[in-house]
Amino acid sequence: MKNLILGVLVSFSTISSAFAVCTYNLDATPYEISKMYSGQNITERFPTVVSQDYGYQIKSTNSVLNSLRLYAAGSSTFVNAISSWDAASSKDAELNGDVVLPENGIYAIEFKINSFHFASNIGSAEYNLGAMIVGTSNSKRGVNIIPILSNTSTGLKLKIDIVDKLGGNFETVSFPVPNQLANFRYGLYFNQDTKQVGVIVNGVNKGYINTPLSNKIDALGFILQGRISNIPSASSYLNKYVTAKIITDKSELNFNYPIGTKDICSNII
């Protein structure tokens, strides 16, 4: 997939606040999702999308192209923006997110794992659940923040990649996670004043990922993602559910963040 180049956000159409619950709409249709990325494998909408919960059942990939199945969910506005960007002839084409971040302050989101079956000794098989969080920097180059929770041959891990295209920097951090993942959570907080991204894993503040971003984030867009590959037809974990929730409202953000942190609707936690 192309490196994401982002523009300024001017719309609040997919986020709702105004003294109500701070929500992010996962209303992109299966057709919109299927057109989002170019490539051999078509991305499907998560089979389960209810409010801000999403997920899938682990199915054999023996009969699908490249033994790979891709899932995604997002707002119709942002998914269509990515499709238009992907079809553009220039990598400098504008891509607009759909959540504006003020210039100053700290803003947080969390991901809650509802179910994630742990399987050991799975060989080349893999299943995961994550997101691509896209940010704008001065309406030009983009930053991609990509958290992924995976079950692979080496066990369970939470990995977070940060690709700062403006600064030409790439960072990755990994955190061990327990085998029992029901109600496991991790949080990300975006410090606009220091241009840093912080991580909290199951209530433990891991601090900021090392290198500050080149610029402040003007806006965010969220694509929730899942992937299963090389799943044999006779596996103990077939039909197990892999599900999560993206949490955006202050009342559901459980962790202790730096003083003054807000949700992405600018409500103080």
Side-chain angles (χ1 to χ4, degrees), residues 56-206:
Y56 60 87
Q57 269 185 298
I58 302 171
K59 300 290 186 181
S60 171
T61 58
N62 284 350
S63 62
V64 300
L65 182 65
N66 298 325
S67 194
L68 172 67
R69 194 181 296 276
L70 304 173
Y71 297 112
S75 71
S76 178
T77 299
F78 191 57
V79 165
N80 283 317
I82 284 185
S83 296
S84 296
W85 180 88
D86 193 55
S89 58
S90 171
K91 291 185 178 181
D92 290 324
E94 185 176 272
L95 175 64
N96 294 328
D98 53 5
V99 181
V100 169
L101 283 191
E103 185 176 354
N104 300 105
I106 304 174
Y107 304 87
I109 61 169
E110 288 178 14
F111 293 90
K112 176 180 177 290
I113 305 302
N114 298 321
S115 58
F116 196 109
H117 179 75
F118 169 64
S120 60
N121 302 316
I122 64 174
S124 63
E126 179 180 357
Y127 51 92
N128 68 36
L129 204 58
M132 180 166 64
I133 304 167
V134 181
T136 64
S137 296
N138 284 344
S139 309
K140 296 180 181 178
R141 305 293 295 270
V143 55
N144 301 336
I145 302 160
I146 308 168
I148 301 175
L149 178 65
S150 300
N151 194 153
T152 69
S153 60
T154 58
L156 289 171
K157 67 176 179 180
L158 173 64
K159 183 180 76 166
I160 301 174
D161 293 334
I162 295 186
V163 185
D164 181 356
K165 297 303 297 181
L166 183 61
N169 297 319
F170 172 83
E171 298 220 27
T172 184
V173 292
S174 295
F175 304 99
V177 296
N179 290 345
Q180 299 300 318
L181 284 174
N183 298 316
F184 175 82
R185 287 183 181 239
Y186 62 93
L188 300 173
Y189 53 100
F190 309 92
N191 190 323
Q192 293 285 72
D193 301 310
T194 65
K195 298 180 289 187
Q196 290 177 291
V197 179
V199 183
I200 299 179
V201 179
N202 246 14
V204 179
N205 194 334
K206 302 295 184 177

